Amino acid sequence: MAPPTSSQSKPGRTLLLLLALILAMGATIFFQKAFVPKFGLDLAGGTTVTLTPVTPGGKAPPSENIDRAITIIRARVNGTGISDAEVARANNNIVISVPGAGREEALGLISKTAELRMRQVLAVAAAKDQPAQMPTSAPTPGGSGAPSGAPSAGTSPAATSSAAASAAPSASGTPAGRALSSALTAPSPSATASTAGHAKTRKNGAKAGNRATPSPSGAASPSAAPSADAGDPLAGQDTSGIDPALLDQFRNIDCTKKDKGQGVQDDPNKQIVACSDDGSARYILDKAAVQGTEISGAQAGTDPTTGEWIVQVNFKSKGASQFSDITRRITSLPAPRNQLANVLDGVVIVAPTIEEAIPGGSARISGSFTQVTANDLADQLKYGALPLKFMPDSVESVSSTLGQDQLRGGLISGALGLLVVVLYLLLYYRGLGLVGVASLVVATTVTYLTVAILSHNAGFRLSLPHIIGLVVSIGITADSFIVYFERIRDEIKEGRRTLRSAVEVAWRRARRTILVADAVMFIAAVVLFFLAVGGVAGFAFAMGLTTLIDIVVVFLFTKPLMSLVARMRFFAKGHKLSGLDAERMGRTSPAEQTMQEA
């Protein structure tokens, strides 16, 4: 017999690749301590919130607005479609059930409008009861003001961002303020091949300074009329172009109060007075230059250079043009009118100084993000604002509708189904059935690891429909290697193949059947997942997931293992317990066939 060639040793490398994948998944679970998946409403309970729309005069809200609100809320609480959260309409009310969430968490997911608007800063000052520090400023050669001594959110006003790093965040703000205390940062042209869509910015904060009304040329207007009262928070600032009614509001607003207007759906076509997220500064802001409806997507990720969490915001074509125009227009103006405030729910989250025009249609928000806060903000920006204002009518904690008995029953049924399949494989295929049993064990292991990782990293929650889908998938996995086994036996019965050659030829013919069958199953699961909701969608997700796992197991385990098994004398000589004996094949044994061909 010829020694194994390098091509014949390939099955071993494939099995090692699968082993490495399983070990990596196991290590992920170990370090995240994600040994047990999170459960859905039916198995773990959660929180149910009933929202009632608030309309002028108590009139009934338009039905289309209710439907749109349901769509947005469903996207927020179940954006991936696998969290088992439920959203339903009850007359004009909306009922939301969130698995495993406490009262505050559930309300936080639902109540925020999350409408991002970008507005030019017209004036800024410290909040009431904060020491007033009015800066002096002089335009830099790049055209942007560089004020000093401005009240900031707990950081040095002189701090500036470099071309490759964003400014330091506020040390005293709320988590959201700390997470978004610098924005729109970008590497310099020397650090990367393309800087389109990012900005070179100065430190965020409540920066004040002299500024002239923008003229068509972008230069300061000589007719600017700054306030002369030294005790006035607007002292030394240009107030031209500002709605007079806002000036008194600006002087009187108290940003130190807990309710700073969070959740207010401000009019994008009007100038507004707003507070910073941490309550340390107050702003007068121009009409919205870019609205949240012009955001095409938002994604959380990490900066490859610094490793910090960021939120990448992409604009639609109109929004990209608007963003480019506003950054180009204000870049050469004195502070604070060269700042572009990012306003979320009526609160200024960040107001960076723009030092250059930003084409390209994207922006990057960075700061003291964690993975959780970055993903939360990305989801809020991505899913948009509610068309109506809602008040929680009732918030109730609900117990699991099924509980541990039903969970135990589902697991027992799965184990029994697996046991029946194992017995059938051993009785019908004998030794060959051990390959099938090993494939089932590997598929079960990979499925459990995948479910656990998704549960702790993608919001997946295991419910009874998921368990049913996983149990049914046992048949899908068994069907794949049964097709392969039968093809091997057919090749041997025809008398033209040794076991080794039969394994390879049968694989080339069987894999097409396996892929077609799995493709049909996966397409059906995808269609059902997107067209259905609730438990049916959960069942479809489990079916689709296990179909993909089946392909991985058959290609990376069953086939390579069969290639190794074909080299074993027990199978190659057609032992009676191998499942490939001459009596079963209805012809001479594989060993005799090998001798004849030799």
Side-chain angles (χ1 to χ4, degrees), residues 443-455:
T444 301
T445 301
V446 173
T447 300
Y448 176 80
L449 294 175
T450 303
V451 168
I453 290 174
L454 287 176
S455 177

Side-chain angles (χ1 to χ4, degrees), residues 238-566:
D238 172 26
T239 58
S240 60
I242 300 177
D243 184 350
L246 295 181
L247 299 177
D248 288 336
Q249 183 182 348
F250 178 80
R251 294 183 179 99
N252 297 323
I253 189 171
D254 187 356
C255 292
T256 60
K257 292 182 178 180
K258 290 185 177 181
D259 183 7
K260 304 182 295 292
Q262 182 73 28
V264 175
Q265 291 178 299
D266 51 291
D267 190 339
N269 299 313
K270 295 181 179 180
Q271 296 176 349
I272 65 168
V273 173
C275 297
S276 63
D277 183 70
D278 60 4
S280 67
R282 43 185 159 170
Y283 295 84
I284 298 179
L285 305 175
D286 204 357
K287 299 175 183 178
V290 185
Q291 297 188 43
T293 53
E294 296 303 321
I295 293 177
S296 61
Q299 184 176 6
T302 55
D303 187 305
T305 304
T306 64
E308 68 174 343
W309 280 93
I310 61 173
V311 176
Q312 184 75 27
V313 180
N314 298 314
F315 298 102
K316 301 175 184 176
S317 57
K318 180 181 177 182
S321 177
Q322 293 173 336
F323 186 65
S324 177
D325 290 343
I326 185 63
T327 55
R328 183 181 298 107
R329 182 171 65 84
I330 70 174
T331 185
S332 60
L333 301 178
R337 298 202 179 190
N338 61 348
Q339 292 178 238
L340 186 64
N342 290 261
V343 185
L344 189 67
D345 295 349
V347 174
V348 177
I349 300 300
V350 62
T353 297
I354 304 299
E355 294 188 335
E356 61 186 20
I358 312 171
S362 65
R364 187 177 68 179
I365 303 177
S366 62
S368 297
F369 277 124
T370 63
Q371 181 179 359
V372 174
T373 57
N375 281 310
D376 285 347
L377 178 62
D379 287 344
Q380 289 172 9
L381 297 179
K382 183 166 50 180
Y383 298 133
L386 299 178
L388 295 168
K389 182 179 179 181
F390 289 90
M391 293 294 292
D393 184 61
S394 64
V395 182
E396 300 176 354
S397 296
V398 295
S399 59
S400 58
T401 56
L402 296 177
Q404 294 300 316
D405 290 341
Q406 283 74 12
L407 174 61
R408 190 179 301 109
L411 295 177
I412 291 175
S413 64
L416 289 176
L418 185 62
L419 178 62
V420 170
V421 173
V422 168
L423 290 176
Y424 170 80
L425 290 173
L426 294 178
L427 291 175
Y428 186 77
Y429 289 105
R430 299 184 182 179
L432 195 61
L434 293 174
V435 177
V437 173
S439 298
L440 283 175
V441 172
V442 171
T444 301
T445 301
V446 173
T447 300
Y448 176 80
L449 294 175
T450 303
V451 168
I453 290 174
L454 287 176
S455 177
H456 287 264
N457 294 277
F460 176 79
R461 287 186 174 271
L462 189 65
S463 63
L464 194 59
H466 292 124
I467 294 176
I468 295 173
L470 297 176
V471 171
V472 173
S473 69
I474 296 174
I476 299 174
T477 304
D479 180 67
S480 294
F481 50 77
I482 286 175
V483 169
Y484 184 29
F485 292 166
E486 289 300 317
R487 189 67 239 183
I488 293 173
R489 297 175 70 170
D490 287 344
E491 292 293 328
I492 296 176
K493 285 180 181 179
E494 290 174 2
R496 298 192 298 269
R497 308 287 178 188
T498 62
L499 181 56
R500 284 196 184 187
S501 60
V503 166
E504 299 302 325
V505 173
W507 172 246
R508 289 196 293 269
R509 297 180 177 180
R511 66 184 176 189
R512 180 183 303 174
T513 303
I514 294 172
L515 287 174
V516 170
D518 282 344
V520 171
M521 183 64 68
F522 185 74
I523 291 172
V526 169
V527 172
L528 191 60
F529 177 78
F530 283 105
L531 294 183
V533 294
V536 178
F539 173 81
F541 176 80
M543 290 286 290
L545 176 65
T546 50
T547 300
L548 295 177
I549 292 175
D550 172 56
I551 295 176
V552 172
V553 172
V554 170
F555 276 75
L556 298 185
F557 182 79
T558 306
K559 196 276 173 181
L561 185 60
M562 276 304 306
S563 296
L564 296 178
V565 163

